[in-house]
Amino acid sequence: MGLNVEQLNQHYGSSHTLRDVSFNIADKGCTAVLGRNGAGKTTLLKCLMGVLPTSSGKISWNGQTLTDMAPYRRVRAGFGYVPQGREIFADLSVGQNLELAAAATRIDDPEEAVAEAVSLFPVIGEMWRRRGGDLSGGQQQQLSIARALVTRPDLLILDEPTEGVQPSIVSRIEEVIAELGGRLSILLVEQYFEFARSIADRYVVLSRGEVALSGDVSEMDDHAVRQFLAV
Ligand SMILES: Nc1ncnc2c1ncn2[C@@H]1O[C@H](COP(=O)(O)OP(=O)(O)OP(=O)(O)O)[C@@H](O)[C@H]1O
């Protein structure tokens, strides 16, 4: 059960970006994907969400094969995605950003789902009528996470949620991820080793599109991992 990624390959033209990437993650807890700039982390997440096609390999979630599914069907299968750069709808209000996610996923109790997501990030309720584009980077990041949570994912995929975010908001995001990891599975791409170390219970290190190391954070050899992160 959980997420199984088997022998995943991806190419950008002639550039072989993911090379036989295989790993499993459980249906609860947090797994951090680490690696240098350009290692293939964002590409991996995009392939998992189906926003980029894979060349070969298999992706399955709780036994269901998703490899060729459109992104919206992956969301209905339980995937939530917080992309790098947040990608909130700048011209819609904060409330509309959340309501749209609820409507697009056709969940049964949209108002409750939105209220649950807002309860995790009170600032979103305070900014309800503001244009998404007028929020600060940290507020947008919270909105992007809340928008993914509105669809009640079983697997939450986050691409660098702390990037360009002020420390007080990083702490709130950390608390929310820790809290959520008790009831759903989280896959997190993170540049900051310390953040990943404090929050994740499993890790996968990518290097040049390949899985270089993986395992339990409690048994992680920091020195070995850092060698793959140093520029
Ligand atoms: N649209 C694209 N077309 C061609 N090559 C791309 C494209 N996007 C990324 N790449 C290349 O694919 C490789 C992996 O990029 P990717 O963004 O997945 O890395 P990353 O580990 O997420 O890095 P970062 O931390 O900088 O986001 C890099 O060599 C990058 O230059």
Side-chain angles (χ1 to χ4, degrees):
M1 293 309 241
L3 179 72
N4 290 301
V5 177
E6 293 171 46
Q7 304 276 302
L8 211 62
N9 284 280
Q10 197 271 347
H11 294 79
Y12 283 116
S14 59
S15 148
H16 194 172
T17 320
L18 297 179
R19 298 163 179 263
D20 288 330
V21 170
S22 298
F23 63 94
N24 299 322
I25 71 174
D27 60 0
K28 290 207 174 39
C30 178
T31 301
V33 180
L34 304 165
R36 282 190 195 107
N37 287 339
K41 305 180 298 297
T42 294
T43 302
L44 171 64
L45 299 196
K46 287 181 175 174
C47 288
L48 294 179
M49 275 317 294
V51 294
L52 259 185
T54 52
S55 318
S56 62
K58 185 174 165 188
I59 300 163
S60 55
W61 172 246
N62 289 340
Q64 183 184 15
T65 301
L66 308 176
T67 321
D68 299 316
M69 270 188 191
Y72 78 92
R73 289 189 58 212
R74 298 186 202 215
V75 174
R76 287 185 194 160
F79 284 17
Y81 183 41
V82 181
Q84 190 168 32
R86 298 126 199 175
E87 293 184 20
I88 59 153
F89 302 111
D91 290 328
L92 298 184
S93 70
V94 167
Q96 287 167 333
N97 266 272
L98 298 179
E99 286 161 0
L100 188 65
T105 327
R106 298 189 205 152
I107 50 173
D108 297 334
D109 52 351
E111 284 174 21
E112 220 173 290
V114 167
E116 276 170 29
V118 172
S119 71
L120 292 171
F121 297 110
V123 71
I124 292 174
E126 292 158 22
M127 300 278 171
W128 191 255
R129 291 182 199 285
R130 292 273 187 93
R131 257 180 92 253
D134 291 340
L135 267 51
S136 72
Q139 290 165 346
Q140 288 187 357
Q141 189 60 266
Q142 293 174 85
L143 175 58
S144 184
I145 297 172
R147 188 180 56 182
L149 290 173
V150 162
T151 67
R152 295 222 177 82
D154 303 312
L155 173 67
L156 181 63
I157 297 175
L158 298 139
D159 198 345
E160 298 201 28
T162 63
E163 193 180 32
V165 172
Q166 68 192 65
S168 63
I169 297 179
V170 169
S171 305
R172 181 63 201 140
I173 291 173
E174 187 172 355
E175 283 168 12
V176 168
I177 292 175
E179 197 178 312
L180 293 170
R183 56 187 163 94
L184 48 90
S185 189
I186 294 172
L187 185 64
L188 168 85
V189 160
E190 186 50 61
Q191 283 281 350
Y192 296 109
F193 178 76
E194 296 304 338
F195 181 85
R197 196 180 210 312
S198 72
I199 211 166
D201 33 46
R202 303 261 314 156
Y203 70 95
V204 175
V205 177
L206 283 185
S207 175
R208 294 185 183 151
E210 286 183 287
V211 175
L213 293 171
S214 64
D216 286 339
V217 169
S218 61
E219 294 165 7
M220 183 162 76
D221 176 345
D222 288 14
H223 180 68
V225 171
R226 280 184 191 279
Q227 283 188 326
F228 286 101
L229 307 182
V231 181

